[in-house]
Amino acid sequence: PLYWKMYAFGYSVLSKLPTNAMRMVFGAALCLFGGHFFASVAAIEAFRIFGWEQLRHHVSIVVAEAQSVADASRKDNDVDADENGVADVDEMTSRELLRHKTALAMSTV
């Protein structure tokens, strides 16, 4: 949950920034730390030029799929198929719950 929140915050900030602002942040980092990290600078520039757009596209697909799985899991937590007043997921053992949620995730994606 912590990493998801950090990723969501970073993604929301980065998606709102214009391209020039990202270059400005990168440039400021180079001004402050560039003398010590030549290899990092080359690697970051190479990634930005050759792989950033593809990665961003594919990560956005994965995020959308993960969100749909999370939504399906939330809905599944409320299901009471046997109508005994207790949600089915609360009656499962940890092994059954893992199997059930894995099947749910795979069928959702």
Short mmCIF file of all heavy atoms in Angstrom, two decimals, residues 49-105:
data_model
loop_
_atom_site.label_atom_id
_atom_site.label_comp_id
_atom_site.label_asym_id
_atom_site.label_seq_id
_atom_site.Cartn_x
_atom_site.Cartn_y
_atom_site.Cartn_z
N ILE A 49 15.57 8.93 -24.33
CA ILE A 49 15.49 8.99 -25.78
C ILE A 49 14.92 7.70 -26.37
O ILE A 49 14.08 7.73 -27.25
CB ILE A 49 16.88 9.28 -26.38
CG1 ILE A 49 17.31 10.70 -26.01
CG2 ILE A 49 16.88 9.08 -27.89
CD1 ILE A 49 18.76 11.00 -26.33
N PHE A 50 15.36 6.54 -25.87
CA PHE A 50 15.02 5.28 -26.53
C PHE A 50 13.90 4.48 -25.87
O PHE A 50 13.31 3.63 -26.52
CB PHE A 50 16.25 4.38 -26.62
CG PHE A 50 17.30 4.95 -27.51
CD1 PHE A 50 18.51 5.39 -26.99
CD2 PHE A 50 17.08 5.05 -28.87
CE1 PHE A 50 19.49 5.92 -27.81
CE2 PHE A 50 18.05 5.59 -29.70
CZ PHE A 50 19.25 6.01 -29.16
N GLY A 51 13.58 4.72 -24.59
CA GLY A 51 12.63 3.82 -23.96
C GLY A 51 11.52 4.43 -23.15
O GLY A 51 10.58 3.74 -22.76
N TRP A 52 11.58 5.71 -22.85
CA TRP A 52 10.64 6.32 -21.94
C TRP A 52 9.19 6.24 -22.45
O TRP A 52 8.29 5.87 -21.70
CB TRP A 52 11.02 7.76 -21.66
CG TRP A 52 9.93 8.53 -20.99
CD1 TRP A 52 9.25 9.59 -21.49
CD2 TRP A 52 9.39 8.30 -19.69
NE1 TRP A 52 8.32 10.02 -20.59
CE2 TRP A 52 8.39 9.24 -19.47
CE3 TRP A 52 9.65 7.36 -18.69
CZ2 TRP A 52 7.64 9.30 -18.31
CZ3 TRP A 52 8.91 7.42 -17.52
CH2 TRP A 52 7.93 8.38 -17.34
N GLU A 53 8.96 6.57 -23.70
CA GLU A 53 7.58 6.58 -24.22
C GLU A 53 6.96 5.19 -24.18
O GLU A 53 5.79 5.05 -23.80
CB GLU A 53 7.55 7.14 -25.64
CG GLU A 53 7.81 8.63 -25.71
CD GLU A 53 6.79 9.45 -24.92
OE1 GLU A 53 5.59 9.10 -24.93
OE2 GLU A 53 7.20 10.43 -24.28
N GLN A 54 7.72 4.18 -24.56
CA GLN A 54 7.19 2.82 -24.52
C GLN A 54 6.91 2.39 -23.08
O GLN A 54 5.87 1.80 -22.81
CB GLN A 54 8.18 1.84 -25.14
CG GLN A 54 8.27 1.95 -26.65
CD GLN A 54 9.29 0.95 -27.21
OE1 GLN A 54 10.10 0.41 -26.48
NE2 GLN A 54 9.23 0.74 -28.51
N LEU A 55 7.83 2.68 -22.18
CA LEU A 55 7.63 2.32 -20.78
C LEU A 55 6.40 3.01 -20.22
O LEU A 55 5.58 2.39 -19.54
CB LEU A 55 8.86 2.66 -19.95
CG LEU A 55 8.70 2.37 -18.45
CD1 LEU A 55 8.71 0.87 -18.22
CD2 LEU A 55 9.76 3.05 -17.65
N ARG A 56 6.25 4.28 -20.49
CA ARG A 56 5.11 5.03 -19.98
C ARG A 56 3.80 4.44 -20.50
O ARG A 56 2.84 4.27 -19.75
CB ARG A 56 5.22 6.50 -20.35
CG ARG A 56 4.18 7.35 -19.66
CD ARG A 56 4.42 8.79 -19.94
NE ARG A 56 3.78 9.08 -21.22
CZ ARG A 56 3.80 10.26 -21.80
NH1 ARG A 56 4.49 11.23 -21.26
NH2 ARG A 56 3.18 10.46 -22.93
N HIS A 57 3.78 4.10 -21.77
CA HIS A 57 2.58 3.50 -22.36
C HIS A 57 2.24 2.16 -21.69
O HIS A 57 1.10 1.92 -21.28
CB HIS A 57 2.79 3.31 -23.86
CG HIS A 57 1.71 2.52 -24.51
ND1 HIS A 57 0.44 3.02 -24.70
CD2 HIS A 57 1.70 1.26 -25.00
CE1 HIS A 57 -0.30 2.11 -25.28
NE2 HIS A 57 0.44 1.02 -25.49
N HIS A 58 3.24 1.30 -21.54
CA HIS A 58 3.00 -0.02 -20.97
C HIS A 58 2.68 0.04 -19.48
O HIS A 58 1.84 -0.73 -18.99
CB HIS A 58 4.19 -0.94 -21.23
CG HIS A 58 4.37 -1.25 -22.69
ND1 HIS A 58 3.42 -1.89 -23.45
CD2 HIS A 58 5.40 -0.99 -23.53
CE1 HIS A 58 3.84 -2.02 -24.69
NE2 HIS A 58 5.05 -1.46 -24.77
N VAL A 59 3.31 0.94 -18.76
CA VAL A 59 3.00 1.09 -17.34
C VAL A 59 1.57 1.60 -17.16
O VAL A 59 0.86 1.17 -16.25
CB VAL A 59 4.02 2.01 -16.63
CG1 VAL A 59 3.53 2.45 -15.27
CG2 VAL A 59 5.35 1.29 -16.50
N SER A 60 1.12 2.50 -18.04
CA SER A 60 -0.27 2.98 -17.92
C SER A 60 -1.26 1.84 -18.16
O SER A 60 -2.31 1.78 -17.51
CB SER A 60 -0.52 4.13 -18.89
OG SER A 60 -0.49 3.68 -20.22
N ILE A 61 -0.93 0.90 -19.04
CA ILE A 61 -1.79 -0.28 -19.25
C ILE A 61 -1.82 -1.14 -17.99
O ILE A 61 -2.89 -1.58 -17.54
CB ILE A 61 -1.30 -1.10 -20.46
CG1 ILE A 61 -1.51 -0.31 -21.75
CG2 ILE A 61 -2.01 -2.44 -20.54
CD1 ILE A 61 -0.86 -0.92 -22.96
N VAL A 62 -0.65 -1.38 -17.40
CA VAL A 62 -0.58 -2.20 -16.19
C VAL A 62 -1.34 -1.53 -15.05
O VAL A 62 -2.06 -2.20 -14.29
CB VAL A 62 0.89 -2.47 -15.81
CG1 VAL A 62 0.99 -3.10 -14.44
CG2 VAL A 62 1.55 -3.35 -16.85
N VAL A 63 -1.22 -0.23 -14.92
CA VAL A 63 -1.94 0.49 -13.86
C VAL A 63 -3.45 0.38 -14.05
O VAL A 63 -4.19 0.14 -13.10
CB VAL A 63 -1.49 1.97 -13.81
CG1 VAL A 63 -2.42 2.81 -12.96
CG2 VAL A 63 -0.08 2.07 -13.29
N ALA A 64 -3.91 0.50 -15.28
CA ALA A 64 -5.34 0.37 -15.55
C ALA A 64 -5.83 -1.04 -15.22
O ALA A 64 -6.91 -1.20 -14.62
CB ALA A 64 -5.64 0.71 -17.01
N GLU A 65 -5.05 -2.04 -15.57
CA GLU A 65 -5.43 -3.42 -15.25
C GLU A 65 -5.42 -3.65 -13.74
O GLU A 65 -6.32 -4.31 -13.21
CB GLU A 65 -4.48 -4.41 -15.93
CG GLU A 65 -4.58 -4.42 -17.44
CD GLU A 65 -5.90 -4.96 -17.95
OE1 GLU A 65 -6.57 -5.71 -17.23
OE2 GLU A 65 -6.25 -4.63 -19.09
N ALA A 66 -4.43 -3.13 -13.05
CA ALA A 66 -4.36 -3.28 -11.60
C ALA A 66 -5.54 -2.59 -10.93
O ALA A 66 -6.09 -3.10 -9.94
CB ALA A 66 -3.05 -2.72 -11.06
N GLN A 67 -5.95 -1.45 -11.47
CA GLN A 67 -7.11 -0.75 -10.91
C GLN A 67 -8.38 -1.57 -11.10
O GLN A 67 -9.21 -1.65 -10.20
CB GLN A 67 -7.26 0.62 -11.56
CG GLN A 67 -8.29 1.50 -10.90
CD GLN A 67 -7.95 1.80 -9.47
OE1 GLN A 67 -6.82 2.13 -9.14
NE2 GLN A 67 -8.92 1.68 -8.59
N SER A 68 -8.53 -2.21 -12.27
CA SER A 68 -9.72 -3.03 -12.50
C SER A 68 -9.71 -4.25 -11.58
O SER A 68 -10.77 -4.65 -11.08
CB SER A 68 -9.82 -3.44 -13.97
OG SER A 68 -8.77 -4.29 -14.32
N VAL A 69 -8.55 -4.83 -11.31
CA VAL A 69 -8.46 -5.95 -10.37
C VAL A 69 -8.81 -5.49 -8.96
O VAL A 69 -9.54 -6.17 -8.24
CB VAL A 69 -7.06 -6.60 -10.41
CG1 VAL A 69 -6.87 -7.57 -9.26
CG2 VAL A 69 -6.82 -7.29 -11.73
N ALA A 70 -8.32 -4.32 -8.56
CA ALA A 70 -8.63 -3.80 -7.22
C ALA A 70 -10.13 -3.54 -7.08
O ALA A 70 -10.72 -3.84 -6.04
CB ALA A 70 -7.83 -2.53 -6.96
N ASP A 71 -10.75 -2.99 -8.12
CA ASP A 71 -12.20 -2.75 -8.08
C ASP A 71 -12.97 -4.06 -7.97
O ASP A 71 -13.92 -4.17 -7.18
CB ASP A 71 -12.65 -1.98 -9.32
CG ASP A 71 -12.11 -0.57 -9.36
OD1 ASP A 71 -11.70 -0.05 -8.29
OD2 ASP A 71 -12.09 0.02 -10.46
N ALA A 72 -12.58 -5.05 -8.75
CA ALA A 72 -13.25 -6.36 -8.70
C ALA A 72 -13.06 -7.02 -7.34
O ALA A 72 -13.99 -7.64 -6.81
CB ALA A 72 -12.71 -7.26 -9.80
N SER A 73 -11.89 -6.85 -6.76
CA SER A 73 -11.63 -7.43 -5.44
C SER A 73 -12.48 -6.75 -4.37
O SER A 73 -12.99 -7.41 -3.46
CB SER A 73 -10.14 -7.30 -5.10
OG SER A 73 -9.88 -7.86 -3.83
N ARG A 74 -12.64 -5.43 -4.46
CA ARG A 74 -13.49 -4.72 -3.50
C ARG A 74 -14.95 -5.20 -3.60
O ARG A 74 -15.60 -5.41 -2.59
CB ARG A 74 -13.43 -3.22 -3.73
CG ARG A 74 -12.29 -2.55 -2.98
CD ARG A 74 -12.47 -1.06 -2.85
NE ARG A 74 -12.01 -0.12 -3.80
CZ ARG A 74 -11.05 -0.14 -4.70
NH1 ARG A 74 -10.39 -1.10 -4.89
NH2 ARG A 74 -10.71 0.81 -5.47
N LYS A 75 -15.42 -5.38 -4.84
CA LYS A 75 -16.79 -5.87 -5.02
C LYS A 75 -16.92 -7.30 -4.51
O LYS A 75 -17.93 -7.67 -3.92
CB LYS A 75 -17.19 -5.81 -6.50
CG LYS A 75 -17.40 -4.42 -7.01
CD LYS A 75 -17.74 -4.42 -8.50
CE LYS A 75 -17.78 -3.02 -9.05
NZ LYS A 75 -17.97 -3.01 -10.52
N ASP A 76 -15.89 -8.11 -4.73
CA ASP A 76 -15.91 -9.50 -4.30
C ASP A 76 -15.93 -9.63 -2.79
O ASP A 76 -16.48 -10.59 -2.25
CB ASP A 76 -14.70 -10.23 -4.88
CG ASP A 76 -14.68 -11.70 -4.51
OD1 ASP A 76 -15.63 -12.40 -4.89
OD2 ASP A 76 -13.72 -12.12 -3.84
N ASN A 77 -15.33 -8.67 -2.09
CA ASN A 77 -15.31 -8.72 -0.63
C ASN A 77 -16.71 -8.62 -0.03
O ASN A 77 -16.92 -9.05 1.10
CB ASN A 77 -14.44 -7.60 -0.07
CG ASN A 77 -12.97 -7.84 -0.32
OD1 ASN A 77 -12.55 -8.96 -0.59
ND2 ASN A 77 -12.19 -6.79 -0.25
N ASP A 78 -17.67 -8.07 -0.76
CA ASP A 78 -19.02 -7.91 -0.24
C ASP A 78 -19.96 -9.05 -0.62
O ASP A 78 -21.10 -9.08 -0.16
CB ASP A 78 -19.62 -6.59 -0.77
CG ASP A 78 -18.83 -5.38 -0.28
OD1 ASP A 78 -18.23 -5.47 0.81
OD2 ASP A 78 -18.81 -4.36 -1.00
N VAL A 79 -19.51 -9.99 -1.45
CA VAL A 79 -20.38 -11.07 -1.92
C VAL A 79 -20.66 -12.06 -0.79
O VAL A 79 -19.75 -12.50 -0.09
CB VAL A 79 -19.73 -11.80 -3.13
CG1 VAL A 79 -20.51 -13.04 -3.50
CG2 VAL A 79 -19.61 -10.86 -4.29
N ASP A 80 -21.93 -12.39 -0.63
CA ASP A 80 -22.37 -13.40 0.33
C ASP A 80 -23.25 -14.39 -0.42
O ASP A 80 -24.48 -14.33 -0.37
CB ASP A 80 -23.13 -12.75 1.48
CG ASP A 80 -23.54 -13.75 2.55
OD1 ASP A 80 -22.94 -14.84 2.59
OD2 ASP A 80 -24.45 -13.44 3.32
N ALA A 81 -22.63 -15.33 -1.14
CA ALA A 81 -23.36 -16.25 -2.02
C ALA A 81 -24.26 -17.21 -1.24
O ALA A 81 -25.34 -17.55 -1.69
CB ALA A 81 -22.39 -17.03 -2.88
N ASP A 82 -23.81 -17.63 -0.05
CA ASP A 82 -24.64 -18.58 0.72
C ASP A 82 -25.65 -17.88 1.62
O ASP A 82 -26.39 -18.53 2.35
CB ASP A 82 -23.75 -19.53 1.52
CG ASP A 82 -22.79 -18.81 2.45
OD1 ASP A 82 -22.83 -17.57 2.50
OD2 ASP A 82 -21.99 -19.50 3.10
N GLU A 83 -25.68 -16.56 1.60
CA GLU A 83 -26.66 -15.72 2.31
C GLU A 83 -26.77 -16.06 3.80
O GLU A 83 -27.86 -16.15 4.35
CB GLU A 83 -28.02 -15.84 1.64
CG GLU A 83 -28.01 -15.33 0.21
CD GLU A 83 -29.36 -15.47 -0.47
OE1 GLU A 83 -30.31 -15.95 0.16
OE2 GLU A 83 -29.45 -15.10 -1.66
N ASN A 84 -25.62 -16.20 4.45
CA ASN A 84 -25.63 -16.45 5.89
C ASN A 84 -25.28 -15.19 6.70
O ASN A 84 -25.10 -15.25 7.90
CB ASN A 84 -24.69 -17.60 6.25
CG ASN A 84 -23.24 -17.29 5.95
OD1 ASN A 84 -22.92 -16.27 5.34
ND2 ASN A 84 -22.36 -18.18 6.36
N GLY A 85 -25.15 -14.06 6.02
CA GLY A 85 -24.86 -12.81 6.70
C GLY A 85 -23.38 -12.51 6.86
O GLY A 85 -23.02 -11.47 7.40
N VAL A 86 -22.53 -13.42 6.42
CA VAL A 86 -21.08 -13.23 6.50
C VAL A 86 -20.52 -13.29 5.08
O VAL A 86 -20.87 -14.18 4.32
CB VAL A 86 -20.42 -14.33 7.38
CG1 VAL A 86 -18.92 -14.14 7.44
CG2 VAL A 86 -21.02 -14.34 8.77
N ALA A 87 -19.67 -12.34 4.75
CA ALA A 87 -19.06 -12.34 3.42
C ALA A 87 -18.27 -13.62 3.20
O ALA A 87 -17.64 -14.14 4.13
CB ALA A 87 -18.16 -11.12 3.26
N ASP A 88 -18.32 -14.12 2.00
CA ASP A 88 -17.66 -15.39 1.69
C ASP A 88 -16.15 -15.33 1.92
O ASP A 88 -15.56 -16.31 2.37
CB ASP A 88 -17.94 -15.80 0.24
CG ASP A 88 -19.40 -16.15 0.02
OD1 ASP A 88 -20.11 -16.42 1.01
OD2 ASP A 88 -19.84 -16.16 -1.14
N VAL A 89 -15.53 -14.20 1.64
CA VAL A 89 -14.08 -14.11 1.81
C VAL A 89 -13.70 -14.18 3.29
O VAL A 89 -12.58 -14.58 3.62
CB VAL A 89 -13.50 -12.83 1.16
CG1 VAL A 89 -13.64 -12.89 -0.34
CG2 VAL A 89 -14.14 -11.59 1.73
N ASP A 90 -14.62 -13.81 4.18
CA ASP A 90 -14.32 -13.90 5.61
C ASP A 90 -14.41 -15.32 6.13
O ASP A 90 -13.89 -15.63 7.21
CB ASP A 90 -15.28 -13.00 6.40
CG ASP A 90 -15.06 -11.53 6.11
OD1 ASP A 90 -13.93 -11.18 5.71
OD2 ASP A 90 -16.01 -10.74 6.27
N GLU A 91 -15.06 -16.19 5.39
CA GLU A 91 -15.21 -17.59 5.81
C GLU A 91 -14.12 -18.49 5.23
O GLU A 91 -14.02 -19.65 5.62
CB GLU A 91 -16.58 -18.12 5.36
CG GLU A 91 -17.73 -17.40 6.01
CD GLU A 91 -19.07 -17.88 5.50
OE1 GLU A 91 -19.16 -18.27 4.32
OE2 GLU A 91 -20.01 -17.85 6.29
N MET A 92 -13.32 -17.99 4.33
CA MET A 92 -12.30 -18.81 3.67
C MET A 92 -11.04 -18.90 4.50
O MET A 92 -10.69 -17.96 5.23
CB MET A 92 -11.94 -18.22 2.31
CG MET A 92 -13.05 -18.22 1.32
SD MET A 92 -12.48 -17.47 -0.23
CE MET A 92 -13.99 -17.44 -1.14
N THR A 93 -10.34 -20.03 4.34
CA THR A 93 -9.00 -20.12 4.93
C THR A 93 -8.06 -19.27 4.09
O THR A 93 -8.41 -18.84 2.99
CB THR A 93 -8.52 -21.59 4.94
OG1 THR A 93 -8.36 -22.03 3.59
CG2 THR A 93 -9.50 -22.49 5.67
N SER A 94 -6.87 -19.05 4.60
CA SER A 94 -5.93 -18.21 3.85
C SER A 94 -5.56 -18.85 2.51
O SER A 94 -5.41 -18.15 1.51
CB SER A 94 -4.67 -17.95 4.69
OG SER A 94 -4.06 -19.15 5.05
N ARG A 95 -5.46 -20.16 2.45
CA ARG A 95 -5.14 -20.84 1.20
C ARG A 95 -6.29 -20.69 0.20
O ARG A 95 -6.08 -20.41 -0.98
CB ARG A 95 -4.86 -22.30 1.46
CG ARG A 95 -4.52 -23.08 0.20
CD ARG A 95 -4.18 -24.49 0.55
NE ARG A 95 -2.86 -24.47 1.18
CZ ARG A 95 -1.84 -25.20 0.76
NH1 ARG A 95 -1.99 -26.02 -0.24
NH2 ARG A 95 -0.68 -25.12 1.36
N GLU A 96 -7.52 -20.89 0.68
CA GLU A 96 -8.69 -20.73 -0.20
C GLU A 96 -8.82 -19.28 -0.68
O GLU A 96 -9.16 -19.04 -1.84
CB GLU A 96 -9.97 -21.13 0.53
CG GLU A 96 -10.09 -22.60 0.82
CD GLU A 96 -11.26 -22.90 1.74
OE1 GLU A 96 -11.69 -22.00 2.50
OE2 GLU A 96 -11.74 -24.04 1.71
N LEU A 97 -8.56 -18.34 0.21
CA LEU A 97 -8.65 -16.93 -0.14
C LEU A 97 -7.62 -16.57 -1.20
O LEU A 97 -7.93 -15.86 -2.17
CB LEU A 97 -8.48 -16.05 1.10
CG LEU A 97 -8.61 -14.55 0.88
CD1 LEU A 97 -10.02 -14.20 0.40
CD2 LEU A 97 -8.29 -13.80 2.16
N LEU A 98 -6.40 -17.07 -1.03
CA LEU A 98 -5.36 -16.82 -2.02
C LEU A 98 -5.75 -17.39 -3.39
O LEU A 98 -5.63 -16.72 -4.41
CB LEU A 98 -4.03 -17.41 -1.57
CG LEU A 98 -2.87 -17.29 -2.55
CD1 LEU A 98 -2.52 -15.82 -2.77
CD2 LEU A 98 -1.67 -18.05 -2.05
N ARG A 99 -6.24 -18.62 -3.39
CA ARG A 99 -6.67 -19.25 -4.64
C ARG A 99 -7.83 -18.48 -5.26
O ARG A 99 -7.86 -18.23 -6.47
CB ARG A 99 -7.07 -20.69 -4.37
CG ARG A 99 -7.38 -21.46 -5.64
CD ARG A 99 -7.65 -22.92 -5.37
NE ARG A 99 -6.43 -23.56 -4.90
CZ ARG A 99 -6.39 -24.39 -3.84
NH1 ARG A 99 -7.47 -24.66 -3.17
NH2 ARG A 99 -5.25 -24.93 -3.48
N HIS A 100 -8.79 -18.07 -4.45
CA HIS A 100 -9.97 -17.34 -4.93
C HIS A 100 -9.58 -15.98 -5.52
O HIS A 100 -10.03 -15.61 -6.61
CB HIS A 100 -10.96 -17.17 -3.78
CG HIS A 100 -12.15 -16.36 -4.12
ND1 HIS A 100 -13.17 -16.82 -4.92
CD2 HIS A 100 -12.50 -15.10 -3.77
CE1 HIS A 100 -14.08 -15.90 -5.05
NE2 HIS A 100 -13.70 -14.83 -4.37
N LYS A 101 -8.76 -15.23 -4.80
CA LYS A 101 -8.37 -13.89 -5.27
C LYS A 101 -7.46 -13.98 -6.49
O LYS A 101 -7.53 -13.11 -7.38
CB LYS A 101 -7.68 -13.10 -4.15
CG LYS A 101 -8.60 -12.70 -3.02
CD LYS A 101 -9.65 -11.71 -3.49
CE LYS A 101 -10.50 -11.23 -2.33
NZ LYS A 101 -11.43 -10.19 -2.71
N THR A 102 -6.62 -15.00 -6.57
CA THR A 102 -5.78 -15.17 -7.75
C THR A 102 -6.64 -15.47 -8.97
O THR A 102 -6.43 -14.89 -10.04
CB THR A 102 -4.76 -16.31 -7.53
OG1 THR A 102 -3.97 -15.99 -6.38
CG2 THR A 102 -3.87 -16.48 -8.74
N ALA A 103 -7.62 -16.35 -8.81
CA ALA A 103 -8.53 -16.66 -9.92
C ALA A 103 -9.32 -15.42 -10.31
O ALA A 103 -9.54 -15.16 -11.51
CB ALA A 103 -9.47 -17.79 -9.52
N LEU A 104 -9.75 -14.64 -9.34
CA LEU A 104 -10.48 -13.41 -9.62
C LEU A 104 -9.61 -12.43 -10.42
O LEU A 104 -10.06 -11.84 -11.41
CB LEU A 104 -10.95 -12.75 -8.31
CG LEU A 104 -11.64 -11.41 -8.46
CD1 LEU A 104 -13.02 -11.60 -9.06
CD2 LEU A 104 -11.73 -10.73 -7.13
N ALA A 105 -8.36 -12.27 -9.99
CA ALA A 105 -7.46 -11.35 -10.68
C ALA A 105 -7.20 -11.81 -12.12
O ALA A 105 -7.23 -11.01 -13.04
CB ALA A 105 -6.14 -11.24 -9.92
#
